[in-house]
Amino acid sequence: RYSLEHDVLQANKDSLNIRTFVWDGYAAQIRSVKEYYERSMQLLDPEIRDDLFCEERQISAKSAGLSSTFILPGGSMRNSLIADGCVIEGSVENSIVFAGVKVGKGAKVSNCVLFKGSVIGEGVEMKYIIADKNVKVSAGQTILGSASYPIVVSKDSIV
């Protein structure tokens, strides 16, 4: 049994209390790593972001009690979503950065998704990377994927 729609919902339609509603806003399926990456990058589009995160449907999240993100002199951020508690000394462009991420001096992060607690060392170059929680990338490393094949670095990895 692999299909939610067929093997669970349709098979149990008589015993389940299923209700529907019409949604005419943004919706997307995620069936692969590539699609996860593409859908994540779509959040950088203000129209899509505004459609998903509007006043009518507020999203509550557990607060980590982190301070504001700090972009040091020499650091930069362009067209990115950056959560609280980050320290940016390098450059971050077209990326999604979760809470508590550190981007070292001279590092260049572009078109990436960096999960909570990741540490990107000095002088690192990263493009088209999905870094799971607590990934550590040592100084001077280069990790390059592509839009059609983003590279995934698994949780707690040291590169």
Side-chain angles (χ1 to χ4, degrees):
R1 297 186 180 232
Y2 297 103
S3 169
L4 173 66
E5 292 89 358
H6 183 266
D7 297 324
V8 177
L9 298 177
Q10 289 179 8
N12 297 296
K13 69 182 181 302
D14 296 329
S15 62
L16 296 174
N17 184 5
I18 299 173
R19 300 182 186 258
T20 62
F21 67 95
V22 175
W23 172 254
D24 60 0
Y26 174 84
Q29 287 186 327
I30 299 175
R31 297 166 294 198
S32 67
V33 169
K34 182 177 183 266
E35 284 185 354
Y36 171 80
Y37 176 80
E38 290 168 352
R39 300 307 165 257
S40 295
M41 292 297 108
Q42 286 177 337
L43 293 175
L44 298 176
D45 180 334
E47 287 183 25
I48 291 174
R49 198 170 51 247
D50 289 347
D51 193 28
L52 286 172
F53 306 114
C54 64
E55 278 296 315
E56 294 82 34
R57 290 181 323 282
Q58 292 187 11
I59 296 174
S60 299
K62 185 170 73 174
S63 173
L66 298 171
S67 62
S68 298
T69 288
F70 186 55
I71 300 175
L72 283 100
S76 66
M77 184 276 297
R78 187 171 156 249
N79 192 41
S80 297
L81 297 175
I82 300 183
D84 289 342
C86 295
V87 177
I88 310 294
E89 293 184 82
S91 68
V92 177
E93 184 174 345
N94 301 322
S95 296
I96 298 173
V97 180
F98 285 77
V101 170
K102 294 179 178 25
V103 176
K105 186 175 183 177
K108 295 178 182 175
V109 173
S110 63
N111 303 293
C112 293
V113 179
L114 305 179
F115 280 85
K116 182 179 178 180
S118 292
V119 177
I120 310 306
E122 290 187 12
V124 167
E125 182 179 2
M126 296 175 69
K127 291 182 181 178
Y128 303 102
I129 305 300
I130 301 170
D132 204 345
K133 292 179 185 176
N134 303 313
V135 165
K136 310 264 187 274
V137 181
S138 303
Q141 298 295 322
T142 299
I143 311 173
L144 305 174
S146 69
S148 62
Y149 194 85
I151 293 175
V152 177
V153 181
S154 63
K155 183 178 177 180
D156 299 318
S157 292
I158 299 173
V159 179

